Every structure is written in C-alpha cells, then in structure tokens.
C-alpha cells in the first residue's frame, strides 16, 4: 500500500485501509474502488490522505484486519467510557476500558503490528483519535523500554484517558477558536487534576494510571502544570505520556493551528530533550519512531519522488525509498530503490 494525499488520488484507485470517523464508524471500507464522486465526497468530509492498494508496494503497510477491528472497537468504546465515567457508572466504564486493554494485548503479542508504528490518521476528526493514538504511541515506547505486560496495559489506559478531565470543563472553553482569557486558561490547566480525581475512584489514588493522567503536562525543567513538578518528581508514566501526547497532538490539525509536518513534529520532541522531556525517554523515542511513515511519498533533494518502504535503525531521517514514477510526468517506471543511509548526498526535502 502507499499513502497518498487525497489530491493525488485518481479515479479507479482501490482503497487500502478503511476510513474511520472520530468515533470509530466506517466512512468507507477497504477494497472500495474510488470514483471521482467518492474522492470529492471524501475531500468535503475532511479526508486529506488515504492508503491505496499498489502491487508494487504490497510488501509494506499490509492490512491487519484483527488490529483494525480492535482499534475500531476501542474508539467506539471511548465514547462509552467518557459517558459512564461522567455518570459515575464504574461497572460499565471498566467494561468499556477492557476494549482498550484487548487492543494493547494484541499489540504486545503480535510482532507484525509494530509495522503500524505510525498507522496514520487519515480523517481530520479529533474526537477520539488523539486519545487512542496517544495510548498506542505510549505502548510502542513502553515495548521498546521493555516494560512488563501489566505495566504496558496500565500505561496504555493512562495514556488513552489522559484528557478525561476535560469532561469537567465547559465545552465552550474546550472548543474556543481564539485566545483564552486568563480565567479560561486557569480552568484548562486544571484538567489533569480533574482527570486524576475522576480516575482515582476507579484505580486508587497512587496508582500509575492516575499519575500518568495527573502529570502528562508536567515538564522535567519544572515549567509544566498543574504543579510545576520537575525531574524525578514526575513519574515514569507521566514522562512517557507527556511525549506521546505532544507528538500525537502536533501531528494533527487543531482548532487553533495547523498540524506540523512529520519531520517538524519529530524534531520538536528531540529539541525538548532534557528541558520539556526526559532525555532517556527521548532516546527511546528516537529508536522507536521514524520521521517519515511507511508508505508515505517523499521528495528527495535531487527532485525524485518515492515511497518509504523501510526504516534504518538509529537513522530515523534516512529511510529506504522505492521510486515508482517519473517525478515529472507521474508515469510508471521500472521501479528501483534508494537507501538514504548509503546515498549520503541525498536528503528528504518534503512529504509529497
């Protein structure tokens, strides 16, 4: 499969992965042949890129139907979690949280899922994507840090529910398109406290899950909130969720700003090492995630465009690229590959 901007999708292309809405409903199923009508409808819905089947890239971004179904089910259950935590129904909330734990179990057990390290959100709907993707990013980081299974599940639940405190804040503040007043800002920065208060009724006051929620906006230099904790005053889970939250947040559009380019989001995390983020965890982040997602089209410094087919460990900005088209005419060619770790004179200049 290849990852294409919707503007470059053509009539007759076959959808490689289903497109989900922010609450887990299927907008268009994998395998659908895209007509011009479908393409225009997807544009109007805010879809900005899609996975397209391509036999020349069939060895990458392979579909994992079990993973897709578990992720979809988790997204649907996030709405149930929020509703029942808000209503104080502990039993139903914990039953819904089990859907997230099932997804994490699968990620832990299936090595192949790790090919989906950056399983890109294609639909511009922030509803539950950010929460779940933050949990998944934290899980991959935790796997690389060799956390045990129980720790990974606690980390994933804490990361997925990191913003649950926002249910206690007026929606007009949450969705405000413009600068917050000082009073509104002071209310917003209480959401980790509100979240910890809600969740400690489910998991106990000092549990790692609660600390992850309470501390996900703390920074190692003490300039975070709500308490300005620093260094080792912040729990391991708090530090892990902080990185996962920021990386996912800046990679997506928000009401008040456009998303960062993949390399900009990545570099933001690296630049925060030792100030915003724990430097040891940033090193693990660098080993876990790559700058350019698998299947994405990038433009090289020589003007040639190609698709990322493999990552080079410890060199996240120098992947292996497969060239499928003449970059000027977009006509297919006998494809060939360029390993940027060997072709040191070439660099990636943009995501096409």
């Amino acid at each position: 499969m290849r990852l294409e901007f919707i503007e470059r999708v053509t009539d007759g292309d076959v959808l490689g992965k289903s497109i989900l809405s922010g609450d887990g409903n299927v907008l268009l199923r994998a395998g659908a042949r895209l007509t011009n009508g479908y393409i225009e409808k997807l544009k109007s819905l805010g879809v900005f890129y899609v996975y397209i089947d391509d036999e020349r890239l069939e060895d990458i971004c392979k579909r994992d139907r079990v993973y897709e179904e578990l992720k979809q089910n988790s997204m649907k259950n996030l709405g149930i979690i929020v509703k029942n935590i808000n209503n104080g129904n502990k039993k139903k909330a914990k039953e819904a949280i089990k859907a997230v734990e099932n997804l994490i179990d699968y990620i832990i057990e299936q090595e192949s899922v790790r090919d989906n390290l950056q399983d890109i959100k294609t639909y511009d709907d922030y509803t539950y994507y950010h929460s779940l993707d933050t949990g998944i990013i934290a899980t991959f980081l935790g796997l690389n840090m060799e956390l045990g299974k129980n720790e990974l599940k606690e980390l994933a639940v804490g990361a997925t529910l990191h913003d649950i405190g926002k249910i206690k804040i007026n929606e007009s503040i949450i969705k405000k398109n413009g600068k917050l007043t000082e009073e509104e800002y002071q209310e917003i920065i209480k959401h980790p406290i509100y979240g910890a208060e809600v969740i400690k009724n489910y998991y106990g006051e000092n549990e790692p899950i609660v600390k992850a929620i309470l501390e996900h906006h703390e920074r190692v230099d003490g300039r975070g909130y709500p308490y300005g904790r620093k260094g080792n005053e912040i729990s391991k889970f708090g530090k892990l969720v902080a990185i996962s939250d920021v990386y996912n947040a800046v990679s997506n559009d928000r009401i008040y700003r456009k998303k960062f380019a993949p390399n900009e989001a990545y570099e933001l995390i690296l630049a925060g090492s030792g100030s915003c983020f724990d430097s040891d965890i940033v090193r693990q982040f660098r080993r876990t995630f790559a700058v350019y997602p698998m299947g994405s089209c990038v433009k090289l410094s020589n003007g040639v465009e190609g698709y990322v087919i493999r990552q080079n460990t410890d060199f996240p900005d120098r992947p292996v690229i497969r060239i499928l088209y003449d970059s000027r005419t977009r006509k297919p060619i006998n494809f060939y590959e360029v390993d940027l770790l060997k072709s040191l004179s070439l660099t990636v200049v943009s995501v096409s």
Side-chain angles (χ1 to χ4, degrees), residues 18-296:
S18 298
I19 299 173
L20 304 180
S21 67
D23 54 5
N25 291 313
V26 176
L27 294 175
L28 194 62
R29 292 196 180 279
R33 191 167 294 279
L34 297 171
T35 63
N36 287 328
Y38 273 141
I39 294 168
E40 291 305 313
K41 182 63 175 177
L42 292 174
K43 287 179 184 178
S44 71
L45 290 171
V47 174
F48 41 88
Y49 43 79
V50 294
Y51 285 95
I52 298 295
D53 277 339
D54 192 319
E55 61 182 11
R56 296 163 300 175
L57 294 168
E58 63 182 8
D59 54 329
I60 64 166
C61 299
K62 294 180 181 178
R63 283 196 71 194
D64 184 331
R65 287 176 171 80
V66 176
Y67 176 74
E68 290 176 8
E69 289 172 4
L70 287 170
K71 188 171 182 180
Q72 181 182 2
N73 190 44
S74 295
M75 288 172 63
K76 287 183 175 180
N77 273 277
L78 282 177
I80 298 172
I81 294 169
V82 170
K83 177 181 177 181
N84 286 287
I85 284 179
N86 208 15
N87 294 338
N89 191 325
K90 292 185 180 181
K91 183 179 179 182
K92 286 190 176 180
K94 283 202 167 186
E95 286 174 355
I97 288 171
K98 186 65 180 174
V100 177
E101 293 178 341
N102 290 340
L103 172 63
I104 302 310
D105 281 336
Y106 189 75
I107 291 173
I108 294 169
E109 293 164 6
Q110 300 293 323
E111 287 280 340
S112 60
V113 178
R114 300 179 198 185
D115 292 336
N116 287 306
L117 278 175
Q118 285 168 288
D119 184 27
I120 295 299
K121 180 179 85 69
T122 58
Y123 182 57
D124 189 17
D125 184 328
Y126 208 67
T127 314
Y128 296 125
Y129 267 109
H130 173 62
S131 296
L132 186 59
D133 283 352
T134 299
I136 292 171
I137 289 168
T139 301
F140 284 130
L141 260 177
L143 279 166
N144 236 25
M145 294 172 65
E146 299 183 344
L147 299 186
K149 185 173 182 178
N150 288 337
E151 271 194 300
L152 284 168
K153 290 173 79 169
E154 288 179 330
L155 171 63
V157 171
T160 300
L161 299 180
H162 70 282
D163 273 343
I164 192 70
K166 288 182 178 178
I167 64 175
K168 300 297 184 182
I169 296 176
N170 192 293
E171 196 174 79
S172 65
I173 298 176
I174 298 293
K175 294 185 176 181
K176 184 174 180 179
N177 187 7
K179 187 176 180 179
L180 298 175
T181 66
E182 180 60 24
E183 184 179 357
E184 290 169 337
Y185 174 73
Q186 291 302 321
E187 180 67 4
I188 279 286
I189 66 174
K190 291 178 184 175
H191 79 267
I193 298 173
Y194 295 151
E197 287 174 350
V198 169
I199 295 300
K200 71 183 180 184
N201 293 323
Y202 293 77
Y203 293 101
E205 187 168 356
N206 295 313
E207 290 300 313
I209 290 174
V210 177
K211 290 184 178 179
I213 293 168
L214 180 63
E215 298 173 343
H216 74 275
H217 279 295
E218 299 289 0
R219 298 294 179 255
V220 295
D221 61 4
R223 292 188 294 174
Y225 63 83
Y227 297 123
R229 293 174 181 173
K230 59 184 178 181
N232 291 332
E233 294 173 356
I234 307 169
S235 68
K236 176 172 62 179
F237 278 15
K239 293 173 180 177
L240 276 162
V241 178
I243 289 178
S244 305
D245 174 34
V246 171
Y247 183 54
N248 185 252
V250 299
S251 298
N252 295 293
D253 287 324
R254 303 298 295 271
I255 291 173
Y256 48 84
R257 59 145 176 82
K258 301 300 289 182
K259 65 180 179 178
F260 284 47
N263 59 309
E264 293 172 339
Y266 193 92
E267 289 165 6
L268 180 70
I269 301 300
L270 300 190
S273 179
S275 55
C276 292
F277 310 118
D278 181 274
S279 55
D280 290 334
I281 298 179
V282 171
R283 278 193 287 272
Q284 292 294 339
F285 172 87
R286 193 174 186 276
R287 290 185 57 83
T288 305
F289 298 100
V291 178
Y292 304 104
M294 294 285 283
S296 61

